[in-house]
Amino acid sequence: MSAVDDPWLDPAQAQARLARTWGSLPGWWGALATVDHKRIGRRYLVTAFTFFALGGMLALGMRMQLAQAGSTLVGPDLYRQLFTVHSTTMMFLFAVPVMQGIAIYTVPLMAGTRTLAFPRLSAFSYWVYLLGGAMLWLAFLVDAGPDTGWFSYTPLAESQFSPGKRVDIWAQMVTFTEVSALAVAVSLVTTIVKQRAPGMTLARMPLHLWATLITSLMVVFAMPAVMLATALLIMDRLVGTQFFAPSGGGDSLLWQHMFWFFGHPEVYIIFLPALGMVSTVVETFTRRRIFGYPVMVLALAMTALFAFGLWVHHMYATGLPRLGNTFFMGASMIIAIPSGVQIFCWLATLWQGRPRFATPLMYMLGFIVVFVLGGLTGVMLASVPLDLQLHDSFFVVAHFHYVLIGGAVFPLIGALYYWWPKLTGRMPGERAGQWSFWLLFIGFNVTFFPQHLLGLAGMPRRVYTYAQGLGWDGLNLLSTAGSIVIGMSVLVTAWNLLRSLRRGEHAPPNPWDAGTLEWATASPPPTWNFAHQPVATDAHPLWRERESLPCMSGLALDKRELLLTSGVEARPDVRETSPGPSIWPLATALAVAALFVGSIYTPWAVVIGALPVTVTLIGWFWPKSLREDE
Amino acid sequence: MKRPMRFVGDVAQLPAYGHGHRSLTWWGTMGFVAIESMAFVLTIGIYLYLAGHTPEWPPHGNQPALTFGTTFLALIVLSIAPNVWLNRRARAENLSTVRLGLVVMSLVGLALLAIRVFEFPALGVSYKESAYGSVTVTLLGLHTTHLATDVMDTLVVTALMFTRHGRARRFVDVSDNAIYWNFVVVAWVPIYLVIYFGPRWL
Ligand code: HEM
Ligand SMILES: [Cu+2]
């Protein structure tokens, strides 16, 4: 009996053998050892949305406190923890990982391959992310939540001004999440470059893959800066280095440079994947190819490139040289251009097609409106004189929530509705979907639009209350009311999706009549993704190949095998074995977590902790059977 | 509705692994090289930034002694020769010469680590003393971490090639490890210049 896929093999028999080869181990051990990218992706999504809910509850807590002047619901210390843990959770534990989670799930399917390039590394990334998030939240529950804001400026964050462990916990939580994000980025880049289905040349690559590729490259170049910065901060606090301490020849502004060299690209790391999702959904629901595909790719690349030249616009108020500021002001305004170009391309696509205004598309339209507003205030803030006036006011809070929620959360929830049938095999309810959209759209604007006005009126951010008689009461109450509506929208979506698991209609392979390869297989897909190696004859193979789908035979059935293709032309090149389930990624993640947590308390943890990390890594890489050598 | 499939090709005749950029691990290695290069570049940037903000660099005038750092530089640059040879033997999949090359590279790595032990005191500054001390020790420490990681990796791969696993795809591992070693070498040159000549030239 042949061990490879061939056209004359009985399909049922081939399937049984693929199931044996690609299956997870049974039981809870199997759950801990799994390397199935779909399971890992789903875990990322569940975990990230849990953090979103937790961070959202803290936001509601803050809004309750700010609903009226002089409220005593929350004191100053707790308020500081609330905004710090809220924003840290949203940025590091929700926005970045959730985008990566979507990519982990969708990229191999969309590229037409059986799994990620480094499935064990992705399992490891998930555990590290989970442990880092758990550490932050456990600390918060015992009143040791970080309290220096999401960018934790020095000198405030140095040990004289912030004794205790709160800042160290923040800094190590950042390390956890960045290790995880970097590892995922490497895996995604490799998958997209080397594992695209034969025929999927770069010129035919779906925009979602382009966006993921470019974002992952941004992660690789931006995140080392914050890892390094937090490591130096911990060293300053724990062993007495002098990086940020002016008394020892260090420099506080160095922290700001390091942080924002990462922090500005971070916003785009959150936002570029969302752009890919918007393009995907707009294409499917207009049934048209995107207008100006090469321009779209170029715009993504330009945005990514420019994003590295803008960080100083977060530092206008620090007294840097004028000329430098002028340069960064120009650069910050230029970045609006590629975003504007993309918006026109989407509008043109919608204009040419016959859009079906289903829930996913509604969310993308909501994105366009909200994001344009956020972009406008962004261009306003990029101007130095205005920023000096509005810096640290609620205008800034309004601006970045327009960009972050408009730019990322709207497309994300749209994408969740879009890929839900693929993820679960069930259709989400359409009516509840529409309700959730309108609640979010209205609630969001009611919450955040008034904050522009409050900021213009002088209300500072990060202050736990305000005095009566400043004329801020009404707008604050309105903002709080809006935040409750946002909460309702999230609940409707949660109810809708969870209910669909039991009562939803069963989803066919391609319920939206989409064109990309993830819809060429069952919903949800089997662990091996595709029965045969798909071939892409087009950016939308399912639209072009209405009669039958081209594919190739010849991949092994009795071992996990992937087809590698050449980077540009996607020509079949090599068959490579992919690693199976293993408990070692989890063991390594635990060892790494012990090292990181230990290093909050003693520098020796780094030395002693290196041993278990080494041992688990060797366990991970050492081949367990001769077959793995092939 | 499921669309029927039509077969347009067969991949069974393709090789089961490839060297260099044809393999996945090469891309993974390059990804981590990019991340770590970024960390080096940024740390050098911090060094220059702090030097630019400090009137006297180094603050108390005592310069790092050159002997150990330069010896290290000479040895690590020379190690490129056996390393390149090892990489070629790995691609030719010649087990006995690969074993020899790995043993040589393991010894070279251990010797370099031994020199490194003397390099830290030769800097003549403590990390606590000043920002100059902090960034100098950190820069050296960062490179040492890379060195130690790669030496460890080399030892493990060497052990692996002496077992029954010394075949097929494992030659790709040897080759990727050799490529990573080149990165450790190339990274040292600018770091050496910054640590030892920064105080002299800036
Ligand atoms: C779901 C609805 C949300 C509400 C009602 C909300 C509300 C708030 C409030 C009240 C503050 C503190 C303002 C202050 O006193 O300074 C805040 C800060 C912040 N939020 Fe949100 N937020 C929401 C979602 C998000 C999301 C999704 C993100 C990111 C993806 C985010 C990122 C931030 C950041 C970065 C800060 C700044 C914290 C700091 O000053 O360090 N928020 N938010
Ligand atoms: Cu920015």
Side-chain angles (χ1 to χ4, degrees), chain A residues 281-461:
Chain A
V281 169
V282 166
E283 286 190 312
T284 298
F285 287 88
T286 55
R287 258 186 245 155
R288 292 207 67 105
R289 289 151 204 282
I290 203 85
F291 177 87
Y293 171 91
V295 181
M296 293 297 273
V297 174
L298 206 67
L300 286 172
M302 292 322 273
T303 312
L305 217 60
F306 285 157
F308 283 93
L310 303 186
W311 78 94
V312 171
H313 68 204
H314 296 270
M315 300 167 64
Y316 286 155
T318 60
L320 290 175
R322 268 305 151 61
L323 185 68
N325 280 353
T326 314
F327 168 80
F328 283 102
M329 173 167 149
S332 305
M333 296 192 171
I334 284 177
I335 202 163
I337 296 173
S339 308
V341 166
Q342 298 195 55
I343 292 187
F344 284 114
C345 289
W346 290 317
L347 293 180
T349 314
L350 287 162
W351 186 257
Q352 291 180 331
R354 280 164 281 116
R356 282 176 290 162
F357 294 99
T359 309
L361 185 62
M362 292 308 285
Y363 272 97
M364 301 312 171
L365 298 178
F367 151 83
I368 294 179
V369 173
V370 174
F371 183 73
V372 166
L373 289 172
L376 287 178
T377 53
V379 176
M380 287 166 74
L381 287 172
S383 125
V384 176
L386 205 62
D387 181 68
L388 289 178
Q389 194 62 35
L390 295 170
H391 188 80
D392 265 345
S393 79
F394 252 85
F395 190 89
V396 175
V397 177
H399 155 67
F400 64 68
H401 284 92
Y402 264 82
V403 196
L404 288 168
I405 298 184
V409 177
F410 273 87
L412 175 72
I413 298 184
L416 188 64
Y417 274 100
Y418 178 64
W419 277 308
W420 188 257
K422 189 51 62 182
L423 277 153
T424 63
R426 300 298 179 118
M427 300 301 289
E430 178 59 22
R431 250 164 63 102
Q434 295 279 350
W435 269 98
S436 76
F437 166 74
W438 285 107
L439 285 172
L440 185 65
F441 188 75
I442 294 167
F444 170 79
N445 283 294
V446 172
T447 308
F448 291 102
F449 193 79
Q451 295 184 3
H452 292 112
L453 307 176
L454 286 167
L456 289 170
M459 179 165 166
R461 72 191 270 203

Side-chain angles (χ1 to χ4, degrees), chain A residues 7 118 182 186 190 193-195 220-221 224-225 228 232 235 239-243 248-251 253-254 257-258 261 532 535 542 545-555 563-564 572-577 614 618 622-623 625-626 628-630, chain B residues 1-18 21-25 27-28 31-32 34-35 38-39 42-43 46 49-50 53-54 127-132 134-135 138 142 152 156 159-160 163-170:
Chain A
F118 308 115
L182 283 164
V186 170
T190 309
V193 175
K194 288 304 293 174
Q195 292 177 230
V220 164
F221 291 106
L228 189 60
L232 303 186
M235 279 160 54
V239 300
T241 53
Q242 309 280 347
F243 285 100
D251 186 84
L253 275 190
L254 175 61
H257 281 296
M258 298 281 293
F261 182 82
H532 316 283
V535 171
L542 305 198
E545 307 284 349
R546 292 272 172 201
E547 308 296 308
S548 64
L549 281 175
C551 64
M552 288 188 178
S553 53
L555 282 182
L563 178 66
L564 306 192
D573 185 28
V574 170
R575 295 172 296 130
E576 203 173 281
T577 314
T614 311
I618 294 176
W622 197 270
S625 76
L626 282 178
E628 284 182 36
D629 301 332
E630 267 143 27
Chain B
M1 168 211 72
K2 207 151 178 228
R3 258 171 264 199
M5 301 298 236
R6 70 171 196 275
F7 288 89
V8 296
D10 188 273
V11 299
Q13 299 313 314
L14 295 177
Y17 59 92
H21 64 80
R22 294 174 71 196
S23 86
L24 292 180
T25 39
W27 285 86
F32 285 100
I35 292 167
M38 204 58 207
L42 289 165
T43 316
I46 294 174
Y49 179 93
L50 289 171
H53 284 72
T54 311
Y127 61 85
K128 285 188 185 169
E129 200 172 302
S130 62
Y132 164 75
S134 308
V135 71
T138 303
L142 206 58
M152 195 63 213
V156 173
L160 189 61
T163 66
R164 66 204 169 102
H165 295 292
R167 63 200 198 96
R169 250 176 94 169
R170 300 302 149 209

